[in-house]
Amino acid sequence: MTDTKQHAPPGWLVLLLAVSCGLTVANLYYAQPLLAELRGTFGVGEAAAGGVVTATQIGYAAGMLLLVPLGDRLENRGLVATLLAVASAGLVVTGVAPGFAVLLIASLLVGATSVVVQILIPFAADLSPDDIRGRIVGRVVSGLLFGILLSRVVASLLAEVTSWRVVFLISAAAMAALAAVLRFALPRRAPKTDVRYGQLIRSTLAMWRKHPALRHRALYQSAMFGAFSAFWTTIAFVLTAPPFNYSQLGVGLFALAGAAGAAVAPLAGRWSDHGHGRRLTAGAFVLCAAAFALAGFGAHSVVLLAIAAIAVDMAVQTTLVTGQHVIYQLDPAARARVNSVYLGTFFVGGAIGSQAGSIAFHLGGWPAVVVFAGALPLLGLAGMTRTRV
């Protein structure tokens, strides 16, 4: 009798997927600690500079809805390689941008094509047996989260010793190399549907109506990611101003504090496998709100700000992994499309959080950011009391 049991993917492949996700998602966050540098180069204000982060996240959300569904339609290796090649070209334009408008357009393109991450995560889910799927996805997502957090450190260090432009040019080279590696290293993943592109997009949008759990989890994470983006988009303004007066290097070293929160992702995946996802989500909402309350007292204490950063990142990572555990069980034949709705929705929340956080900082300083961002997880918690997911 043939053994049809699905086996766990090899460790080297899980590691490759985690590293690939980390390197690619970093493209969305390099600009966050560099906003003060961008203001000086292009002569724009705080709210306008924050628009670079917003543009990247809007591009990412658009890519989630328009490009990620192709993960169910096309062979994934070629699709991933193509998107990474285009991302590399967009990063070159970002690095040599002669004006702020060009920088914004290039940021949109880079954001849209960096959705490779959200093709690779469902790829990992498909490769994993049901009983350890949360654990494997958690490991891959931990690579993504380390990429988010360490991107700020790398960007700050490179900008300190060279220039902010070098950050994006180095990433362009990394994307080109990654395109070649993944094209030959990934196993073949057959398309799951042969419907035309227009029908594919319509079926993606239909997932929102079809699966209430997807809607709820996407909105929860939208609130959390809005808070996360507001914090990390504006913290550079806080740290480079009195009483801290940090250099780019100092901002980068502060970002290391947030990296400690990434360790929770595999644990969240494991606990979700054991049925504790809902309680974890509620706890993460409370932790995030408490972190912003602490951050409000940390305007003159880098230690309190660092503790708040770790707590915010832990909370957001927990809700991300528990949410993905829920949605990946909804429709195994359409995981890329389900994931595109989930991620697209919460990156819209992130874009709103980035821009609203920048505006709040411009109008009311750090206290206004703390009040705005701290309210978002409380909204998520209130919504959760009315659902079962």
Side-chain angles (χ1 to χ4, degrees), residues 34 38 41-42 91-99 103 158-159 162-171:
L34 305 178
L38 296 177
T41 299
F42 297 105
L91 286 161
V92 170
V93 175
T94 302
V96 301
L103 181 67
L158 286 175
T162 57
S163 131
W164 66 264
R165 296 182 183 274
V166 173
V167 175
F168 297 102
L169 294 176
I170 289 178
S171 184

Side-chain angles (χ1 to χ4, degrees), residues 227-241:
F228 175 94
S229 297
F231 181 93
W232 285 107
T233 299
T234 56
I235 194 66
F237 298 143
V238 175
L239 295 175
T240 55

